[in-house]
Amino acid sequence: MSVRVRLAPSPTGNLHIGTARTAVFNWLFARNQGGTFVLRVEDTDLERSRPEYTENILAGLTWLGLTWDEGPFYQSDRLELYGQNIKTLLEKGLAYRCYCTPEELDAMREAQKARNEAPRYDNRHRHLTPEQQAEFEAEGRQAVIRFRIEDDREISWTDLVRGKVTWKGSDLGGDMVIARASGEGKIGQPLYNFVVVVDDINMKITQVIRGEDHISNTPKQILLYEALNAAIPEFGHTPLILNAEGRKLSKRDGVTSISDFKTMGYTPEALANYMTLLGWTPPDATQELFTLEEAAKHFSFDRVNKAGAKFDWDKLNWINSQYLHKLPIPELMTSLIPYWQEAGYEFDPNSDGAWLEQLTALIGPSLTTLKDGVEMSRLFFTPTVELDTEAKTQLQQEGAIAIVQAIQDKITQQRDQPLTSDAAKAMINSAMKETNVKKGLVMRSLRAALMGTMHGPDLIESWLLFHQKGIDLIRFQTVLQG
């Protein structure tokens, strides 16, 4: 049988890194097996689902390179299918209408709590007579649809990640609600555990790969597969992504959505690479950099860990830096341009193309994220600069101002000639002789005047960039005017 897997995100928020990592594992398995990767949007939560979240999810998967083979399919378009399957269960006597009020359910739970029992539905409306149902209907009560779960059932499956897993029916909380309350004998909005099974049957899903937080849903869903006379897929429950304290990564930990990672300047290749390592160990454990296509050749569930995967910012940053450092300069420049534009820097990507490439080549080796390029290049997009304390102290050294004056004079004298690296070095040597100072003082004074700080990228290359925009003369004049 051909492998068919699916990603089924809920559009109640932006694409979360946990969902994205699940997408990665599904995609890798499908590609490894020559199978099909299906995208299904589970939007039956009408109150919380939003079109903008759907757009964010689709955009995030596309950005990561996780292309799907079928879909996206939307559960909101399939309500009739769910209703037909619920009717089938009702007709078989495997589901029934429950008329309990919220107050009655609350009282039931409080009584159980008082007896130190785990809260569960006590199946009190499982065997209502037609007359009792009619009486509840006459009272105007609305009914949920519940699926029968026998306490003495034992449900087992061989998990792709965890091996044999077994649950008792008595631990599943009583008969399960599969459709929300509705009156007049109608069927209300179907709920997650039911619709996901109907969809997986309808889409012929062969392996359900998802996070371990879904393990408790699996025994309930297996019972539904049996009730609908359908083949039961294999299940694989992958480890959760944990924060530094070992708890499930959440919004409280800061950045968790894929769009946030993009805004921070991570590349899709690096992020996908890192997510692959969150719970999976490649055959060559020393290999840490690879494309999704390369990982797919070796992906298998026997190398997926059972333990939670701690999110390591240092590891992600290192991987991202490696991808950035390997990018050809024109590609890196193209990636940096949106961040420079977002920062409000003024330039023309076309006419300033050569200058921008030189700037990219200068800062590229120091980048960890693309957004780092904003701060690193700020000096090159502003004519004036504020001197920090260290730079001011440097320019107060004896001979420093004379050096700046001498270099400014030489630039003015050679205004009609392009400033090259050799020409800049010649000016520095000439200034040394004229002012009779050591080269170190010249270089430090030049850096202080040009950059306003004693730290930064290569001085000569930076000077060439400043000079092309006339920024060097502006800054020298500012220093000389005190």
Side-chain angles (χ1 to χ4, degrees):
M1 180 183 292
S2 177
V3 164
R4 289 177 61 83
V5 298
R6 48 72 166 178
L7 180 73
S10 173
T12 55
N14 290 332
L15 179 61
H16 186 275
I17 190 168
T19 304
R21 202 280 308 271
T22 298
V24 168
F25 281 7
N26 275 277
W27 190 95
L28 292 174
F29 183 67
R31 294 296 176 263
N32 178 271
Q33 298 292 312
T36 302
F37 178 44
V38 180
L39 177 60
R40 182 174 75 226
V41 179
E42 299 192 339
D43 59 348
T44 52
D45 187 341
L46 302 179
E47 295 178 358
R48 297 171 59 216
S49 295
R50 296 285 185 273
E52 58 267 31
Y53 293 143
T54 299
E55 293 172 9
N56 179 275
I57 290 167
L58 300 184
L61 293 172
T62 301
W63 180 70
L64 289 167
L66 298 171
T67 52
W68 50 91
D69 303 305
E70 294 181 13
F73 301 106
Y74 295 89
Q75 286 186 333
S76 55
D77 296 333
R78 301 162 64 81
L79 296 178
E80 184 177 348
L81 174 65
Y82 308 139
Q84 291 170 351
N85 280 269
I86 289 175
K87 287 179 182 177
T88 297
L89 294 182
L90 287 169
E91 290 167 358
K92 288 183 175 181
L94 299 176
Y96 61 92
R97 297 182 185 276
C98 168
Y99 295 87
C100 291
T101 65
E103 293 76 18
E104 289 172 340
L105 293 174
D106 287 341
M108 181 194 309
R109 283 188 286 267
E110 287 300 319
Q112 290 165 344
K113 185 178 179 181
R115 296 192 298 268
N116 293 318
E117 298 173 356
R120 56 171 285 138
Y121 177 62
D122 61 8
N123 305 341
R124 62 179 62 180
H125 283 188
R126 181 188 278 190
H127 300 294
L128 292 179
T129 64
E131 291 76 19
Q132 289 173 316
Q133 290 191 45
E135 185 177 337
F136 284 134
E137 293 277 353
E139 292 178 13
R141 290 199 187 196
Q142 294 190 325
V144 300
I145 307 298
R146 288 188 182 270
F147 174 69
R148 295 172 61 128
I149 297 178
E150 302 301 338
D151 284 352
D152 59 359
R153 268 298 306 268
E154 186 175 88
I155 307 100
S156 296
W157 73 93
T158 302
D159 198 276
L160 293 168
V161 176
R162 299 164 192 284
K164 187 172 182 181
V165 180
T166 300
W167 282 68
K168 295 179 180 178
S170 56
D171 293 331
L172 298 181
D175 293 342
M176 171 177 57
V177 178
I178 59 174
R180 293 186 189 278
S182 182
E184 300 176 356
K186 295 180 180 178
I187 295 172
Q189 181 184 342
L191 297 180
Y192 167 76
N193 271 315
F194 181 75
V195 297
V196 71
V197 169
V198 173
D199 281 337
D200 286 343
I201 294 170
N202 183 259
M203 296 176 184
K204 298 181 172 59
I205 299 303
T206 56
Q207 284 84 16
V208 174
I209 303 161
R210 56 193 180 186
E212 68 174 57
D213 48 338
H214 282 280
I215 287 180
S216 61
N217 290 322
T218 302
K220 301 173 186 177
Q221 292 172 10
I222 287 175
L223 294 175
L224 285 167
Y225 279 103
E226 292 177 352
L228 294 169
N229 295 320
I232 299 171
E234 292 183 287
F235 291 90
H237 292 92
T238 59
L240 297 179
I241 301 175
L242 309 176
N243 63 15
E245 288 74 41
R247 296 189 298 272
K248 182 180 177 182
L249 194 70
S250 69
K251 290 181 179 179
R252 290 189 297 274
D253 298 301
V255 175
T256 56
S257 74
I258 296 304
S259 51
D260 287 340
F261 285 98
K262 181 179 180 181
T263 299
M264 290 174 68
Y266 292 96
T267 70
E269 297 84 3
L271 188 56
N273 186 155
Y274 179 64
M275 286 192 292
T276 301
L277 295 170
L278 279 174
W280 178 71
T281 305
D284 179 359
T286 64
Q287 183 182 5
E288 296 182 304
L289 301 176
F290 40 74
T291 64
L292 285 172
E293 289 75 14
E294 290 168 342
K297 294 176 183 178
H298 306 288
F299 185 83
S300 63
F301 282 102
D302 59 0
R303 302 193 68 84
V304 173
N305 305 322
K306 297 181 180 68
K310 281 194 176 182
F311 193 91
D312 185 341
W313 283 101
D314 290 338
K315 184 68 166 290
L316 173 59
N317 286 336
W318 179 82
I319 290 175
N320 201 66
S321 70
Q322 299 307 299
Y323 276 88
L324 292 180
H325 298 167
K326 290 178 181 179
L327 275 180
I329 295 302
E331 289 185 31
L332 181 56
M333 179 193 74
T334 300
S335 298
L336 284 167
I337 282 175
Y339 293 88
W340 287 331
Q341 291 173 328
E342 178 69 22
Y345 296 161
E346 294 184 5
F347 61 92
D348 185 310
N350 297 315
S351 61
D352 290 326
W355 183 82
L356 292 172
E357 280 200 21
Q358 293 173 53
L359 174 58
T360 300
L362 178 65
I363 67 173
S366 301
L367 292 175
T368 297
T369 69
L370 290 166
K371 196 164 185 179
D372 291 342
V374 173
E375 193 57 39
M376 287 183 185
S377 57
R378 187 178 303 278
L379 281 172
F380 298 92
F381 289 100
T382 53
T384 59
V385 65
E386 291 288 331
L387 303 181
D388 66 17
T389 302
E390 206 173 353
K392 288 178 181 178
T393 300
Q394 174 60 38
L395 291 171
Q396 290 168 359
Q397 299 292 315
E398 183 178 353
I401 293 298
I403 291 167
V404 175
Q405 181 68 66
I407 291 178
Q408 185 197 47
D409 290 344
K410 295 183 184 306
I411 293 174
T412 304
Q413 292 165 11
Q414 301 178 29
R415 188 186 297 272
D416 296 333
Q417 301 176 27
L419 183 64
T420 64
S421 179
D422 288 341
K425 291 174 183 177
M427 286 185 189
I428 289 171
N429 290 331
S430 179
M432 285 171 52
K433 293 176 182 177
E434 290 180 13
T435 56
N436 194 29
V437 297
K438 293 183 178 180
K439 187 175 182 178
L441 180 61
V442 176
M443 301 297 281
R444 290 194 296 274
S445 301
L446 183 57
R447 179 177 289 278
L450 283 174
M451 299 185 174
T453 179
M454 302 310 296
H455 311 281
D458 182 84
L459 176 58
I460 300 297
E461 294 302 317
S462 299
W463 184 9
L464 300 183
L465 285 165
F466 289 134
H467 184 74
Q468 291 178 54
K469 297 291 186 180
I471 291 174
D472 55 347
L473 285 173
I474 295 173
R475 293 184 180 176
F476 289 150
Q477 191 61 36
T478 300
V479 168
L480 293 173
Q481 290 174 352

